[in-house]
Amino acid sequence: MLHTSRMGEWFQVIVPNHWQGKTIESLFRDLWEVPKKLTHTYRMEKKVRIDGEAANWGTPLAAGAKLQLRLFEAEETHITPHFQELEILFEDDHVLVLNKPPFINTHPNDPKQETNTLVNGACFHLLSQGEIRDIRQIHRLDRDTSGAILFAKHAMAGAILDRALVERKIKRTYLALVDGILKQKRGTIQAAIGRDRHHPTRRRVSPTGQAATTHYSVVMEDKQEKLSYVKCWLDTGRTHQIRVHFSHIGHPLLGDTLYGGKPVVHRQALHAAKLEFTHPFTEEKIVCHAPFKDEPDIFKNIDLLTI
């Protein structure tokens, strides 16, 4: 874990030994993989300093030097702040992890008309702390799916985490309650997913769709009710992926009537139970477990720490 601190609009990190000899240019390009346009902004607007002085981007860094980045400037916001109760799983100056309840959209489809989404609540949370900035969601969950969602508090954190998501360095583990007892207790579902041309929101397994891979492991079985609690993790992030894949193998999620699930619970039984990622600036491994929020409980007798 790196030694870091915040000084107003500036973020400071003490250059560690394993950065010795690297340049600021290489940190932006190779370590953080910051997009060229954002990198250009930091260079031209002199938003990087070494020991309080404007930095030379090509000079090798010395261990123990104070690298300072202007990360926390006020910016124009494009999301309407809207107060709501939030369950915060992790927060610091750079990132925010929230436990999304079911029956709320992750982000507004129409920013001017729709204000009661998780993004609007996160924006209000920042504003209440005196942070006048847009919040940036790194991934999303379906409206009726609950669990952990990762947000970035500034542009550079957003860029680094967006890249980490693409490179599968952010691990999301889901818990699903599915119909039936699976014969294979651990396995992988590989089936391309495309749009269903007969339904505006439904997806389906299609040879012409996008490649999709879901890994799963049965956590617990209710043999009396013929139900299975299944842990899932993804190599891809297609819309409705877990829902489509388990319906495809004959075990639809309970409550997921769009894909053939029995309406015995009030929503599709899917919860983003755990989120794991490496912090973009401290190099700390962050692991967040998201408590279940349903009343009555859908996922009974499940220990989150085993997920």
Side-chain angles (χ1 to χ4, degrees):
M1 183 173 175
L2 304 185
H3 296 287
T4 66
S5 59
R6 179 173 177 175
M7 304 177 297
E9 293 184 348
W10 292 81
F11 167 71
Q12 177 173 285
V13 56
I14 305 302
V15 174
N17 290 333
H18 61 279
W19 287 8
Q20 174 88 24
K22 294 182 182 294
T23 64
I24 294 171
E25 181 75 44
S26 68
L27 291 181
F28 271 70
R29 183 187 63 241
D30 304 323
L31 176 64
W32 294 321
E33 297 184 87
V34 181
K36 291 181 180 180
K37 183 177 180 181
L38 186 57
T39 297
H40 182 73
T41 297
Y42 272 81
R43 186 196 295 270
M44 292 298 101
E45 297 183 8
K46 300 187 184 305
K47 293 184 178 183
V48 183
R49 303 188 304 201
I50 296 293
D51 296 326
E53 301 294 332
N56 183 324
W57 283 54
T59 299
L61 295 169
K66 297 175 181 177
L67 172 63
Q68 296 148 351
L69 307 170
R70 195 175 185 183
L71 300 179
F72 308 116
E73 295 175 279
E75 63 182 355
E76 181 183 359
T77 59
H78 301 89
I79 300 295
T80 302
H82 181 88
F83 172 77
Q84 58 185 268
E85 295 289 344
L86 300 176
E87 183 175 358
I88 297 172
L89 304 178
F90 177 85
E91 181 178 20
D92 67 2
D93 291 323
H94 310 278
V95 300
L96 175 68
V97 182
L98 298 178
N99 189 10
K100 175 188 172 298
F103 313 118
I104 180 174
N105 287 335
T106 301
H107 59 84
N109 295 313
D110 184 339
K112 293 183 179 180
Q113 298 295 325
E114 189 179 6
T115 61
N116 190 24
T117 74
L118 196 65
V119 167
N120 297 103
C123 187
F124 185 95
H125 175 69
L126 256 65
L127 190 62
S128 71
Q129 296 179 319
E131 305 284 0
I132 306 173
R133 293 196 302 277
D134 269 343
I135 194 83
R136 295 158 171 86
Q137 71 178 71
I138 304 305
H139 58 100
R140 63 180 292 276
L141 294 174
D142 293 339
R143 181 180 184 275
D144 290 354
T145 300
S146 56
I149 293 190
L150 175 61
F151 296 89
K153 287 186 171 186
H154 55 78
M156 191 163 162
I160 296 170
L161 291 171
D162 281 342
R163 172 63 64 178
L165 187 70
V166 169
E167 296 177 350
R168 302 176 188 172
K169 295 177 181 177
I170 298 174
K171 183 178 180 181
R172 294 170 286 166
T173 305
Y174 296 83
L175 186 66
L177 176 57
V178 307
D179 188 31
I181 303 298
L182 280 73
K183 292 181 180 180
Q184 189 174 341
K185 306 308 179 187
R186 184 180 180 92
T188 297
I189 306 169
Q190 290 183 307
I193 294 175
R195 289 184 176 273
D196 186 335
R197 66 176 183 272
H198 301 296
H199 194 285
T201 59
R202 184 181 165 101
R203 300 298 194 273
R204 65 185 181 90
V205 167
S206 168
T208 60
Q210 293 178 299
T213 302
T214 302
H215 306 283
Y216 71 87
S217 175
V218 175
V219 175
M220 189 173 71
E221 296 174 336
D222 184 337
K223 293 187 177 179
Q224 182 176 348
E225 298 294 332
K226 295 183 179 179
L227 304 173
S228 299
Y229 296 84
V230 184
K231 178 173 70 173
C232 315
W233 59 102
L234 313 179
D235 283 351
T236 52
R238 309 306 178 202
T239 300
H240 298 178
Q241 179 171 321
I242 293 172
R243 299 164 63 188
V244 172
H245 273 175
F246 278 93
S247 178
H248 176 65
I249 65 170
H251 296 281
L253 275 60
L254 255 60
D256 191 4
T257 55
L258 183 62
Y259 293 105
K262 297 176 182 177
V264 294
V265 294
H266 58 293
R267 68 176 181 96
Q268 70 234 16
L270 184 62
H271 180 72
K274 184 166 71 172
L275 176 70
E276 303 168 78
F277 63 98
T278 299
H279 193 286
F281 294 102
T282 69
E283 299 184 356
E284 180 184 8
K285 179 66 178 294
I286 307 296
V287 180
C288 298
H289 291 87
F292 305 119
K293 300 182 74 66
D294 291 283
E295 294 181 6
D297 193 4
I298 293 175
F299 301 99
K300 301 175 182 178
N301 303 316
I302 298 291
D303 181 359
L304 272 173
L305 297 181
T306 66
I307 299 301

